[in-house]
């Protein structure tokens, strides 16, 4: 799996408002995958008592394609960390077949492992993450003037 945001800059939250391109390497057009993106560090990494916050779910992604070919179950929500440096995690599961998944009732207090068990997804086949932290108004204004 590869995750690419349409930015040649550092991964600042203000440059991550458009969902990334997530390519699935492996499988074939008869195999399907589920992608989940979460932030396990909510509200902050030193005390993440609200973990995980759900940012995105895409299912039925055919092997050797990208997430745009899948079915978006939960719309993409851009990262917006408040306190400290947060991890944003993408986890990929290989499905046994095309399938409908249960839509989570809330983005807050999501549990990737429980979701995978409830939807018979098994263990992850790939995962990737990046770190991001809250931008100051000065950083955002500085980048806007330079762009």
């Amino acid at each position: 799996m590869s995750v690419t945001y349409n930015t040649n800059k550092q991964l600042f939250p203000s440059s991550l408002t458009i969902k990334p391109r997530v390519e699935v390497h492996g499988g074939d057009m008869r195999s399907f995958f589920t992608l989940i993106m979460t932030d396990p560090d909510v509200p902050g990494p030193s005390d993440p008592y609200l973990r995980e916050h759900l940012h995105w779910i895409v299912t039925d992604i055919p092997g050797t394609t990208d997430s745009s070919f899948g079915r978006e179950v939960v719309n993409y929500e851009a990262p917006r960390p408040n306190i400290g440096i947060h991890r944003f995690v993408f986890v990929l599961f290989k499905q046994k077949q095309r399938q409908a998944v249960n839509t989570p009732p809330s983005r807050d207090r999501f549990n990737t492992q429980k979701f995978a068990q409830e939807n018979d997804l098994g263990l992850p086949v790939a995962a990737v993450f990046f770190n991001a932290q809250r931008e100051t108004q000065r950083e955002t204004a500085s980048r806007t003037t330079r762009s």
Side-chain angles (χ1 to χ4, degrees):
M1 168 175 61
S2 63
V3 178
T4 310
Y5 277 94
N6 193 16
T7 180
N8 55 1
K9 303 173 187 176
Q10 288 184 333
L11 295 177
F12 289 105
S14 61
S15 65
L16 306 178
T17 56
I18 297 172
K19 60 186 156 189
R21 178 180 173 91
V22 178
E23 294 179 82
V24 175
H25 306 288
D28 56 36
M29 295 298 284
R30 293 180 310 263
S31 54
F32 297 96
F33 296 84
T34 293
L35 171 72
I36 298 173
M37 176 188 177
T38 66
D39 175 354
D41 298 320
V42 178
S46 61
D47 186 18
Y49 65 89
L50 294 175
R51 72 173 79 198
E52 299 167 67
H53 182 79
L54 177 62
H55 282 269
W56 198 24
I57 296 179
V58 183
T59 64
D60 293 337
I61 305 168
T64 70
T65 66
D66 66 71
S67 56
S68 66
F69 290 94
R71 187 172 60 85
E72 198 170 53
V73 175
V74 175
N75 295 338
Y76 176 77
E77 180 183 276
R80 285 185 294 246
N82 289 329
I83 303 164
I85 298 172
H86 288 235
R87 295 165 293 163
F88 293 90
V89 181
F90 295 86
V91 182
L92 189 69
F93 296 91
K94 186 173 183 184
Q95 299 170 203
K96 294 177 180 167
Q97 60 192 8
R98 274 191 174 216
Q99 67 184 67
V101 297
N102 301 322
T103 304
S106 170
R107 290 179 184 265
D108 295 322
R109 297 179 190 232
F110 180 77
N111 184 310
T112 300
Q113 185 177 9
K114 183 178 175 189
F115 181 83
Q117 288 172 345
E118 289 172 350
N119 291 282
D120 197 25
L121 295 174
L123 295 174
V125 294
V128 67
F129 76 96
F130 67 90
N131 294 324
Q133 64 186 13
R134 182 179 181 171
E135 297 173 75
T136 65
Q137 290 180 334
R138 180 180 289 169
E139 288 172 327
T140 305
S142 173
R143 272 198 319 287
T144 304
T145 12
R146 281 188 267 147
S147 296

